[in-house]
Amino acid sequence: MLIKLRLHDILKEKVGAGRADGDGILKQQLRDGSTVNDLVVSLGLNREYVGLIIVNGRQAAFEFSLNEGDSVELFSPMSGG
Amino acid sequence: MDKIIRVNLTSGAITSEPVAEKYRQLGGRALTSQILFDELDPACEPLGKRNKLVFAPGLLGGSFLSSSSRISVGGKSPLTGGIKEANAGGTAAGALSKLGIKALIIEGESNLEYSQYLYVDKEKMELRPADIAGLGVYSAAKLIYERYGDKVSQILIGPGGERGYSAAGITNTDVQGRPCRYMGRGGLGAVMGVKGLKAIVLNPAGAEAISYHDRKAFQELNKELVKMIRENPVTGEAYPKYGTPAMATRTNAINALPTRNFSAGSFECANRIDGEYLYHVITTRGGEGETTHACMPGCVIKCSNIYAASDGKEVVAPLEYETIGLMGSNLGIGNLDDIARLNYLCNDLGLDTIEMGATIGVAMDQGLIPFGDADAAADLLAEVAEDSILGKVLGHGALVTGRVLGSRRIPVAKGQAMPAYDPRGIKGLGVTYATSPMGADHTAGNTIRAEVDHTDPKPQPELSKNAQPMSMIADSMGLCLFIMPALGAHLDKLALIYEYYSGVKVSGEDLREAAKKALNVEREFNRRAGLSPAQDRLPEFMTDEPLPVSGSVFDVPLEELRKINEE
Ligand code: SF4
């Protein structure tokens, strides 16, 4: 299945270099039945780099099962501002 | 740090006292709160002569551990009517530590017709007439540097504090001498102002009171801790590059970015005010702008920044997430140049940008000026500067302004404005706003990093309850909260580095217990001041009005909120 992925700030740099466009958006092909965690692994990202997951505009967990056409946003963790 | 300095503004007496045994192992917030508890009538008037201000570095103050020299100030708050501690980075904690001062207590009230400033160096402590009275903090600081040289550290208030405005904070100078590191919350600038004290000049020249119990062991452990800070994704990558403004994308994504007086949790221009965009603006403009900058000597994270205009000239430093949230999205303003200008104006007047952002947001919501109009917002700040009747109202913060203008949508908890996290989007922080002895304060127990659904009410009380003592630990050791992602899970290491600094053997568990005890001291103060569990709640519009998009209301049950302060 194909999902739409948007990466933000440091994740854009970690994964996106040469792959994502300037907005950090890339299309990602995944095996059917993949979870967010599978997606994170497929990106070669260490889980501790992912602090917030949004799927189709809603906060989601690593175990969330993805579907064709889902829109996923990943953010690195922050502890306050 | 072997002495406590007491300045009585009624009599003009300045005395030095040895540190009482019970205060030896307290620092920062735990110390300021304990001294207030011991010395104040909790029911005293915040702007009366019976209130006191206590300044204190943390237990690790002055040490070369990264980010360990925050300065705390405590007093009874004119906003919350309860005990208050506000803290900041900058240089004052380091200077106090070098001078051997564990706490500086300001008490009484001057009867003189002119205001004064306190001058402290290693030989003398004097109250001097303040010819800088009435000046904005930037010009006041400049004059003080001209007089005493650029090695002094300054603590000062602006005209807002001098006039007793409840939105006034107390600032101190950063490494390059900008008077921009605010102990902003709670209106403690007003407490300093009504006492007739404009500034404190700390001259640490020749003072060498800092000593290490075991410098070598400290150095070794410090190396390890620095490595942990550098290798952590939050402290080693996100904060150094993008700083706190990176929070805006996150809060916007979970519908918690205050927008148009907390009427929405996401903002259509969020990507024009967030960390990535700020980074882009600063780097493309060049000139005096800097994307990474340390607020105190020795910080390896350097989360701060310098914001420059299109001509490359510095506008303000730092431009932080809280200001972006409150004076940007909360006002419908999606332009960093506008936010930076409003930030500078507030700083110069000595006003807390969180309180003033919420205040102007309420005024906009009531139709006084339109949302999104930065010039009109600057005009309101000009009213404050001119001390007009409208300016006085605004200067007393969101609650007073909202009441005068007839608002029923005032984003405060215990009278203090909410920082840049809508509690309907991050409910754990809503629990902290409602139950912390500090009122609405994001630094009193932030739950944003927890891996939970932030809109699920269930886990939130527990999260806030655990986060509140962690904040107390940081605030008491003088640690910047931003090193906690790397070190917060290693309290034993923090305990050990404190032992190498002071010679006092404690465990991580001891630190946690001491923090809980200090929180109880604050709660008991508030109880005696007349605050009750009935005030442990959020405004009704937040429990009744769903946020658009998420449909979320603040629905953590009141019984759950009450429980937090019962135990
Ligand atoms: S991390 Fe930021 S706020 Fe904390 S000490 Fe360093 S520069 Fe100051």
Side-chain angles (χ1 to χ4, degrees), chain B residues 70 108 172 185 199 244 267 308 322 334 348 379 388 406 470 549 555:
Chain B
R70 283 183 79 86
N172 86 110
R185 310 299 330 268
T244 60
F267 182 44
E322 298 306 324
D348 198 37
D379 289 345
S388 68
M470 286 305 284
V549 187
D555 55 0

Side-chain angles (χ1 to χ4, degrees), chain B residues 67 70 89 181 293-296 299-304 320 480-483:
Chain B
S67 332
R70 283 183 79 86
R181 308 306 311 197
H293 179 260
C295 79
M296 66 172 75
C299 172
V300 300
I301 303 173
K302 302 192 180 82
C303 79
S304 202
E320 300 281 3
C480 176
L481 277 174
F482 299 155
I483 67 165

Side-chain angles (χ1 to χ4, degrees), chain A residues 1-5 26-28 30 39 67 69-70 72:
Chain A
M1 63 175 164
L2 198 62
I3 59 130
K4 201 169 118 188
L5 174 66
L26 69 160
K27 297 234 160 40
Q28 188 80 359
L30 291 172
L39 165 67
N67 289 308
D70 276 350
V72 182

Side-chain angles (χ1 to χ4, degrees), chain A residues 12-13 49 59 76 80-81, chain B residues 237 239 242 250 276 421 452:
Chain A
K12 196 191 286 183
E13 292 143 27
Y49 272 88
Q59 199 190 331
S76 72
Chain B
E237 296 180 55
Y239 277 126
Y242 298 107
R250 288 150 180 84
E276 277 187 74
Y421 307 82
V452 296

